[in-house]
Amino acid sequence: MNGFNGFQKMVLFFLLTALFSCSKDSDEASRTDRTTKQLIAEQILKKTNAIRREKGLTDLIQNDEMDQLAVLHSENMITFNFFDHVDHENKSPSNRADDLNFAWSRIAENIGKVPWFQNVTSCGDTRSVEAISECVVEGWKNSPGHYANMIGDFEELGVGVAFTKDSIAYFTQVFQTHSLFTMIIRSASCYLVIGLYVYLVAQ
């Protein structure tokens, strides 16, 4: 017999339905994860601009290239197990921008990491977009080096968020200012890196 009997058809239908459902759930989880990280990044930009407005400064503009640079660094810190402005290839923020042919005249970076957890020091329950965004931004605000970047003479901001398997969020902010002569003259001494960071641990 070349065909399927009724029972075989029913089993086959069940298996195909189960496989499709698993794939759909996986895709939905992936989309949700991307959406969460995007929403956190948007909140960080919003909260950073609120801090700048308190000082009478103009808002930073979201920049796709700086977003890409920030996401790359956050993901690399997890993948290669480090937490620093200088990455696993011994490259600074400006080096990474140059590698991707991104134009800049001044560039600065903040990094931080915060657990997605119910009881984080100084932050409490960080298991929401609003709470974890507030936690890391307040941490930066209370650190002189990070705060200097947040209210610095910059025009654009990129934000990168990545999560470890055990729900530790790594954050990168990349600030930049453009120049008409950026594509012609690039000096290795032009970048600004604050070698301080915020590390909030769960207790």
Side-chain angles (χ1 to χ4, degrees):
M1 290 174 47
N2 294 326
F4 293 105
N5 61 33
F7 177 74
Q8 290 173 320
K9 289 179 179 178
M10 184 171 65
V11 171
L12 180 61
F13 174 77
F14 173 78
L15 289 173
L16 289 174
T17 302
L19 288 171
F20 174 76
S21 298
C22 289
S23 176
K24 182 178 180 182
D25 290 344
S26 177
D27 290 344
E28 184 174 345
S30 178
R31 285 196 301 271
T32 301
D33 182 51
R34 287 196 299 271
T35 300
T36 298
K37 289 185 285 189
Q38 182 179 353
L39 290 173
I40 292 171
E42 290 171 358
Q43 281 296 308
I44 289 173
L45 172 62
K46 180 179 178 181
K47 291 176 182 296
T48 300
N49 280 332
I51 290 170
R52 290 176 63 85
R53 287 190 209 112
E54 292 174 356
K55 304 291 289 184
L57 302 171
T58 58
D59 283 2
L60 297 171
I61 300 170
Q62 180 271 334
N63 179 276
D64 289 341
E65 290 185 346
M66 295 303 103
D67 278 349
Q68 184 179 341
L69 197 62
V71 169
L72 173 67
H73 192 57
S74 289
E75 291 179 345
N76 279 343
M77 285 193 289
I78 292 173
T79 301
F80 298 100
N81 192 30
F82 70 93
F83 188 65
D84 204 333
H85 297 288
V86 177
D87 66 18
H88 59 294
E89 295 181 326
N90 202 36
K91 293 181 178 179
S92 68
S94 61
N95 296 146
R96 294 189 288 273
D98 288 344
D99 285 348
L100 294 172
N101 294 316
F102 293 161
W104 58 274
S105 62
R106 294 183 69 240
I107 193 166
E109 182 181 84
N110 284 345
I111 58 174
K113 54 181 174 178
V114 178
W116 181 278
F117 192 68
Q118 63 185 356
N119 188 18
V120 177
T121 302
S122 301
C123 295
D125 192 336
T126 60
R127 294 173 297 176
S128 71
V129 168
E130 168 63 25
I132 202 165
S133 304
E134 180 71 12
C135 182
V136 71
V137 171
E138 279 299 303
W140 285 329
K141 183 180 179 181
N142 293 324
S143 168
H146 294 95
Y147 182 64
N149 283 343
M150 295 169 80
I151 63 170
D153 185 19
F154 298 104
E155 299 168 351
E156 298 173 330
L157 177 66
V159 180
V161 183
F163 281 88
T164 65
K165 292 180 180 179
D166 53 351
S167 299
I168 306 296
Y170 279 64
F171 304 92
T172 303
Q173 285 185 310
V174 180
F175 305 82
Q176 78 151 346
T177 299
H178 276 301
S179 168
L180 293 175
F181 303 101
T182 298
M183 298 304 294
I184 302 173
I185 302 174
R186 286 182 178 176
S187 170
S189 63
C190 285
Y191 71 84
L192 168 67
V193 175
I194 300 299
L196 303 172
Y197 60 84
V198 180
Y199 185 14
L200 302 172
V201 297
Q203 287 189 342

